Amino acid sequence: MSQKQSSVLLIYTGGTIGMKEDPVNQALRPFDFSALMEEVPELRKFDLRIDSYTFDPLIDSSDVEPAMWQELASLIRDNYSKYDGFVVLHGTDTMAYSASALSFMLEGLAKPVIFTGSQLPIGRPRTDGKENLISSVEIAGAKAPDGSPMVPEVCIFFNSLLLRGNRSTKVDATGFEAFRSPNLPPLAEAGIDIRYNTDIIRRPPAGAFKAHCPLDTRVSILKVHPGITRQVVEDILLGSLTRAVIIETYGCGNAPSRSWFLDIVRESAARGKILLNVTQCLRGNVNMDLYATGKALKDAGVLCGGDITTESALGKLFFLMGNNNDNESVKAALEKDLRGEMSN
Ligand code: ASP
């Protein structure tokens, strides 16, 4: 019995990957994704139907705003039943933020949503863009022997690694190995074949797919550092327009033990603000029971972010606060693993 041909929707939002050199004046101009098969003939080798959608205007990902995530989530929702998978071409600078946010906004996801981009424009010699695009399309259309999608998750594919989106972070500004997920092994690795790490790929959750578009952006990030001043800590932790603060701490979740610092944290918690402890380290997790300074934060009402990345913590807070009016429900969900973003 012949299987139905898989289909992939390629969504181009902007970024380096979509740039091509004009043969006349060498200026970079956006690639015409409606002529994708002519531009990247390698894609014909796959038994896939590929349609494309281009954002207007295209954006450098430094300009990404939550409204763009809402547009992306709505686009995927509106096309969900028509395609087997989605590839999102996106600038690398904020790709980890966007992939994280989308992982929370798309609940009950049972199809691949693969973000990719490149360090060199697709039309340049030595580009990493073609390889990233071709492998991402292959992964978005890949099926398990039972016909189900191989990777029903929001991911980032970059330089031969498929990473869970909400575990990823950009680690290199110029090199091709631009992304890593330090607290989770890759979900797949592309070599001669694409080898899937099926043990850690999340299976489609029970329940219907739903795109949650409301987001509440009243979040600040406080990065502690030697010499941080009382004024800065007060401004961020007690700011009247802030509903939640991600406190980026040292090591296992430690912060200055000076009494003025802890007093401000306590005051912030007493005012009902949601405070989340996330480590500045690339690998490992917050454990506020380990040192007295971490314990003091816990006692002051700060929640534990475990091994979540800052990018993921931001998307999780935007999503939870956008969909819950009371802070107690947000706090209860914050310390739980919702989309594979934290280790238990
Ligand atoms: N500034 C670009 C962006 O993030 C860089 C890139 O595409 O890699 O949109």
Side-chain angles (χ1 to χ4, degrees):
M1 193 178 73
S2 73
Q3 277 196 338
K4 189 177 135 283
Q5 187 189 36
S6 289
S7 54
V8 169
L9 180 62
L10 184 76
I11 303 166
Y12 176 42
T13 68
T16 299
I17 189 168
M19 296 289 155
K20 201 181 153 192
E21 238 171 48
D22 188 307
V24 179
N25 59 10
Q26 277 75 52
L28 287 175
R29 59 176 172 78
F31 188 93
D32 177 7
F33 279 92
S34 59
L36 187 65
M37 292 304 192
E38 282 70 62
E39 303 275 9
V40 190
E42 294 88 335
L43 290 171
R44 286 191 208 282
K45 300 255 161 73
F46 300 128
D47 183 24
L48 284 176
R49 178 168 66 83
I50 307 170
D51 294 336
S52 68
Y53 178 94
T54 299
F55 267 53
D56 183 17
L58 293 169
I59 46 170
D60 183 291
S61 78
S62 320
D63 281 325
V64 160
E65 287 291 330
M68 184 265 204
W69 300 337
Q70 289 162 331
E71 189 177 343
L72 207 43
S74 310
L75 184 67
I76 292 171
R77 177 198 59 210
D78 296 346
N79 287 281
Y80 193 71
S81 59
K82 296 187 209 135
Y83 295 94
D84 295 287
F86 300 85
V87 172
V88 182
L89 302 179
H90 192 290
T92 56
D93 289 341
T94 58
M95 194 189 293
Y97 288 93
S98 295
S100 295
L102 265 288
S103 78
F104 295 108
M105 295 166 80
L106 303 178
E107 188 179 354
L109 185 70
K111 300 187 178 188
V113 175
I114 314 295
F115 280 74
T116 195
S118 68
Q119 296 284 53
L120 274 178
I122 204 159
R124 281 264 166 89
R126 293 197 305 105
T127 182
D128 51 334
K130 270 199 177 186
E131 198 50 53
N132 288 344
L133 169 63
I134 293 165
S135 299
S136 296
V137 168
E138 182 173 354
I139 292 167
K143 296 280 172 66
D146 69 357
S148 63
M150 278 305 291
V151 194
E153 295 205 32
V154 178
C155 301
I156 288 181
F157 181 86
F158 218 88
N159 197 42
S160 78
L161 297 181
L162 183 72
L163 309 171
R164 179 169 298 153
N166 58 30
R167 293 291 196 140
S168 305
T169 194
K170 186 173 177 181
V171 294
D172 197 328
T174 50
F176 286 155
E177 287 186 25
F179 288 89
R180 280 283 177 272
S181 58
N183 283 316
L184 191 79
L187 303 185
E189 234 170 292
I192 291 177
D193 301 310
I194 296 180
R195 280 201 313 249
Y196 292 93
N197 195 350
T198 45
D199 289 348
I200 55 169
I201 293 173
R202 282 163 66 84
R203 290 292 103 214
F209 168 74
K210 186 165 191 296
H212 297 272
C213 288
L215 297 170
D216 181 344
T217 60
R218 289 176 291 163
V219 181
S220 296
I221 301 176
L222 174 68
K223 180 169 185 160
V224 300
H225 58 83
I228 196 164
T229 63
R230 183 182 191 136
Q231 191 58 56
V232 165
V233 176
E234 263 176 12
D235 284 353
I236 297 179
L237 284 178
L238 304 179
S240 59
L241 300 178
T242 303
R243 190 172 161 197
V245 182
I246 296 167
I247 308 178
E248 267 199 13
T249 56
Y250 305 126
C252 297
N254 304 311
S257 59
R258 288 182 287 284
S259 59
W260 65 259
F261 183 89
L262 289 169
D263 286 345
I264 300 169
V265 173
R266 275 187 216 104
E267 174 63 21
S268 176
R271 291 188 191 181
K273 298 199 191 290
I274 302 160
L275 306 176
L276 183 67
N277 190 345
V278 170
T279 177
Q280 293 176 12
C281 295
L282 209 49
R283 185 171 289 125
N285 59 287
V286 168
N287 177 350
M288 290 193 282
D289 293 318
L290 219 50
Y291 294 97
T293 55
K295 183 90 174 50
L297 289 181
K298 185 176 172 179
D299 293 342
V302 178
L303 301 173
C304 179
D307 60 358
I308 199 168
T309 61
T310 298
E311 294 91 325
S312 195
L314 193 79
K316 190 172 180 177
L317 276 163
F318 282 8
F319 157 73
L320 286 173
M321 297 190 333
N323 291 280
N324 291 282
N325 286 330
D326 72 300
N327 287 3
E328 290 316 308
S329 315
V330 175
K331 287 183 193 168
L334 209 48
E335 286 187 307
K336 289 196 192 125
D337 174 35
L338 302 182
R339 308 275 195 270
E341 76 280 7
M342 294 166 81
S343 310
N344 287 314

